[in-house]
Amino acid sequence: MVPGTASNEDGGADGSVATQLRKGVLEYCVLALLRDEPRYGVELLQELGRFPALATSQGTIYPLLSRLRRAGLADTFLRDSASGPSRRYYTLTDAGRRALEDFAALWPAFRETVDRVLTPGEHP
Protein backbone atom coordinates (compact mmCIF):
# COMPACT_ATOMS: atom_id res chain seq x y z
CA MET A 1 0.00 0.00 0.00
CA VAL A 2 1.35 3.39 -0.95
CA PRO A 3 0.36 6.14 1.51
CA GLY A 4 -2.08 8.60 0.03
CA THR A 5 -3.30 6.28 -2.70
CA ALA A 6 -5.89 4.27 -0.77
CA SER A 7 -9.53 5.09 -1.22
CA ASN A 8 -12.75 3.76 0.24
CA GLU A 9 -16.15 3.24 -1.32
CA ASP A 10 -17.09 6.86 -0.55
CA GLY A 11 -14.08 8.15 -2.44
CA GLY A 12 -12.22 9.08 0.76
CA ALA A 13 -8.54 8.47 1.20
CA ASP A 14 -8.78 6.40 4.38
CA GLY A 15 -10.56 3.20 3.32
CA SER A 16 -7.55 0.93 3.08
CA VAL A 17 -5.86 2.45 6.13
CA ALA A 18 -9.05 2.10 8.19
CA THR A 19 -9.39 -1.50 7.03
CA GLN A 20 -5.83 -2.32 8.07
CA LEU A 21 -6.27 -0.67 11.47
CA ARG A 22 -9.55 -2.52 12.02
CA LYS A 23 -7.94 -5.86 11.08
CA GLY A 24 -5.22 -5.23 13.64
CA VAL A 25 -7.55 -4.74 16.59
CA LEU A 26 -10.84 -6.41 15.68
CA GLU A 27 -9.89 -9.77 17.20
CA TYR A 28 -9.20 -8.12 20.57
CA CYS A 29 -12.37 -6.04 20.39
CA VAL A 30 -14.36 -9.24 19.86
CA LEU A 31 -12.57 -10.86 22.81
CA ALA A 32 -13.47 -7.80 24.90
CA LEU A 33 -17.14 -8.11 23.89
CA LEU A 34 -17.06 -11.77 24.96
CA ARG A 35 -15.46 -10.93 28.31
CA ASP A 36 -18.69 -10.12 30.12
CA GLU A 37 -21.19 -12.48 28.52
CA PRO A 38 -21.62 -15.08 25.77
CA ARG A 39 -22.73 -13.61 22.44
CA TYR A 40 -23.79 -14.94 19.06
CA GLY A 41 -22.43 -13.73 15.73
CA VAL A 42 -25.19 -11.30 14.73
CA GLU A 43 -25.15 -9.82 18.23
CA LEU A 44 -21.41 -9.21 17.89
CA LEU A 45 -21.96 -7.56 14.49
CA GLN A 46 -24.59 -5.27 15.98
CA GLU A 47 -22.41 -4.33 18.93
CA LEU A 48 -19.39 -3.62 16.71
CA GLY A 49 -21.67 -1.63 14.38
CA ARG A 50 -22.31 0.84 17.20
CA PHE A 51 -18.74 2.01 16.58
CA PRO A 52 -18.27 3.07 12.93
CA ALA A 53 -14.52 2.38 12.99
CA LEU A 54 -15.22 -1.24 14.03
CA ALA A 55 -18.26 -2.01 11.89
CA THR A 56 -17.72 -5.17 9.90
CA SER A 57 -19.60 -7.85 7.99
CA GLN A 58 -20.63 -11.48 8.42
CA GLY A 59 -17.92 -12.36 5.92
CA THR A 60 -15.35 -11.04 8.39
CA ILE A 61 -16.83 -11.89 11.79
CA TYR A 62 -17.56 -15.59 11.25
CA PRO A 63 -14.07 -16.50 9.96
CA LEU A 64 -12.62 -14.46 12.83
CA LEU A 65 -14.77 -16.35 15.35
CA SER A 66 -13.65 -19.65 13.81
CA ARG A 67 -10.00 -18.61 14.14
CA LEU A 68 -10.56 -17.62 17.79
CA ARG A 69 -12.14 -21.01 18.46
CA ARG A 70 -9.37 -22.96 16.70
CA ALA A 71 -6.76 -20.96 18.64
CA GLY A 72 -8.46 -21.85 21.92
CA LEU A 73 -9.35 -18.24 22.71
CA ALA A 74 -13.11 -18.76 22.40
CA ASP A 75 -15.47 -21.66 22.83
CA THR A 76 -19.02 -22.24 21.57
CA PHE A 77 -22.31 -23.71 22.66
CA LEU A 78 -25.81 -23.84 21.18
CA ARG A 79 -28.73 -22.08 22.85
CA ASP A 80 -32.39 -22.31 21.81
CA SER A 81 -33.87 -19.17 20.27
CA ALA A 82 -37.49 -18.08 20.62
CA SER A 83 -37.34 -16.58 17.14
CA GLY A 84 -35.94 -19.45 15.07
CA PRO A 85 -33.28 -22.13 15.11
CA SER A 86 -30.73 -22.53 17.90
CA ARG A 87 -27.95 -19.97 17.96
CA ARG A 88 -24.24 -20.65 18.33
CA TYR A 89 -22.93 -18.56 21.22
CA TYR A 90 -19.28 -17.74 21.73
CA THR A 91 -17.60 -17.45 25.12
CA LEU A 92 -14.16 -16.37 26.22
CA THR A 93 -11.83 -19.14 27.38
CA ASP A 94 -9.16 -18.68 30.03
CA ALA A 95 -6.58 -18.42 27.23
CA GLY A 96 -8.76 -15.79 25.52
CA ARG A 97 -9.00 -13.82 28.76
CA ARG A 98 -5.20 -13.91 29.12
CA ALA A 99 -4.73 -12.81 25.49
CA LEU A 100 -7.12 -9.90 26.06
CA GLU A 101 -5.34 -8.92 29.28
CA ASP A 102 -1.97 -9.01 27.47
CA PHE A 103 -3.33 -6.83 24.66
CA ALA A 104 -4.93 -4.39 27.12
CA ALA A 105 -1.62 -4.09 28.99
CA LEU A 106 0.33 -3.34 25.79
CA TRP A 107 -2.21 -1.11 24.05
CA PRO A 108 -1.76 2.17 26.01
CA ALA A 109 2.00 2.31 25.44
CA PHE A 110 1.57 1.31 21.79
CA ARG A 111 -1.12 3.98 21.24
CA GLU A 112 0.99 6.60 23.01
CA THR A 113 4.03 5.73 20.90
CA VAL A 114 2.08 6.04 17.64
CA ASP A 115 0.56 9.33 18.82
CA ARG A 116 4.04 10.68 19.62
CA VAL A 117 5.42 9.66 16.24
CA LEU A 118 2.47 11.24 14.44
CA THR A 119 2.71 14.53 16.36
CA PRO A 120 5.16 16.95 14.74
CA GLY A 121 8.12 17.72 17.00
CA GLU A 122 7.16 15.05 19.55
CA HIS A 123 9.65 12.37 18.58
CA PRO A 124 13.42 12.33 19.05
Side-chain angles (χ1 to χ4, degrees):
M1 174 176 79
V2 177
T5 61
S7 65
N8 62 19
E9 307 83 69
D10 300 324
D14 66 346
S16 210
V17 172
T19 298
Q20 292 303 312
L21 289 171
R22 185 181 315 101
K23 283 181 182 179
V25 299
L26 191 59
E27 173 178 318
Y28 295 100
C29 291
V30 168
L31 291 176
L33 291 174
L34 296 176
R35 175 184 45 219
D36 299 324
E37 63 182 319
R39 297 179 189 257
Y40 60 97
V42 172
E43 186 178 15
L44 287 165
L45 282 172
Q46 291 169 343
E47 193 64 26
L48 290 168
R50 291 183 41 223
F51 308 96
L54 297 177
T56 192
S57 68
Q58 288 185 12
T60 297
I61 197 73
Y62 287 108
L64 184 149
L65 289 167
S66 291
R67 284 192 307 276
L68 292 176
R69 191 171 40 83
R70 283 192 311 273
L73 302 177
D75 205 353
T76 64
F77 64 91
L78 291 177
R79 181 182 285 169
D80 290 338
S81 169
S83 62
S86 297
R87 293 178 174 156
R88 180 172 304 280
Y89 278 76
Y90 295 83
T91 62
L92 199 59
T93 63
D94 289 341
R97 193 169 303 282
R98 284 191 300 276
L100 179 58
E101 289 168 356
D102 290 348
F103 176 81
L106 294 171
W107 179 252
F110 181 83
R111 182 185 62 228
E112 182 181 317
T113 300
V114 171
D115 287 346
R116 288 187 72 192
V117 169
L118 292 176
T119 303
E122 286 293 318
H123 45 87

